[in-house]
Amino acid sequence: MRKRIFITISVLAVVIGLMGWDVYENKELKKQEAIAKAEFEKVYTVADIFDDANLNEKPTSLNIRIIESEPLNPDRVNVTDEKQQKQIMDAINNLQVQKTLDATPYKDIDYAIDIESNKGYGLHVSEKKKQIAFLDLDNDSTKVEDKFLYEYTILSGDDEFFDALKGIQ
């Protein structure tokens, strides 16, 4: 009889312990999901992503490839006019973006922008999808920062940005 009571109590203790462990793990998982969701809902500026760039100064070079016209042989425009450079850089600095998991294939990219400032940066832009990918052109591929692994949806500033890009064509 004592043996049966001991086994019953032991089984109940194990079951209660496992249930408590499951509840704890679920709380931790929900906390991690909330953190990830908050990270994806965060709104960024270009300065947040290119945190070590000095994009307010005049870039040493600003090259734009207009891919929408001919994907395999895009038109290349080296923007040398200071007024146009300032307009484009101001439009880039005014963009507000949010991370997305929706990747834009190369065929949907309309513009590829290379900015040479204190470092080399790139932007792949889809006007149709209002998405942008940021590239650190000076970084070796083994040390890619997290922020450069995502595509971003443009939330605001897109009209000014695309008007500035169309102004160079």
Side-chain angles (χ1 to χ4, degrees), residues 54-69:
N54 194 351
L55 297 178
N56 291 324
E57 289 186 12
K58 178 182 173 287
T60 53
S61 74
L62 179 62
N63 295 300
I64 299 174
R65 293 184 306 276
I66 305 168
I67 298 171
E68 64 184 352
S69 58

Side-chain angles (χ1 to χ4, degrees), residues 16-132:
I16 290 171
L18 290 174
M19 287 172 51
W21 185 22
D22 185 48
V23 168
Y24 172 76
E25 281 186 347
N26 281 338
K27 282 183 180 179
E28 285 298 311
L29 182 62
K30 286 182 181 181
K31 186 171 29 172
Q32 289 173 355
E33 287 173 352
I35 291 169
K37 184 179 179 186
E39 181 68 25
F40 262 86
E41 290 176 349
K42 183 177 177 188
V43 175
Y44 297 89
T45 64
V46 175
D48 294 333
I49 297 165
F50 293 150
D51 54 4
D52 55 351
N54 194 351
L55 297 178
N56 291 324
E57 289 186 12
K58 178 182 173 287
T60 53
S61 74
L62 179 62
N63 295 300
I64 299 174
R65 293 184 306 276
I66 305 168
I67 298 171
E68 64 184 352
S69 58
E70 185 62 45
L72 297 177
N73 190 17
D75 295 333
R76 293 179 184 270
V77 178
N78 184 11
V79 181
T80 55
D81 180 52
E82 286 188 32
K83 184 179 177 185
Q84 278 187 324
Q85 276 187 351
K86 182 172 177 13
Q87 181 184 15
I88 292 168
M89 293 306 295
D90 286 347
I92 289 171
N93 285 328
N94 290 335
L95 289 175
Q96 290 191 338
V97 297
Q98 189 175 45
K99 286 181 183 177
T100 182
L101 292 176
D102 183 25
T104 303
Y106 185 77
K107 66 182 178 81
D108 291 341
I109 294 173
D110 300 310
Y111 301 96
I113 302 170
D114 296 330
I115 302 168
E116 197 63 45
S117 185
N118 58 325
K119 285 179 70 176
Y121 295 99
L123 293 85
H124 286 175
V125 182
S126 171
E127 185 173 6
K128 294 179 275 298
K129 293 177 84 174
K130 290 189 177 186
Q131 286 187 342
I132 190 166

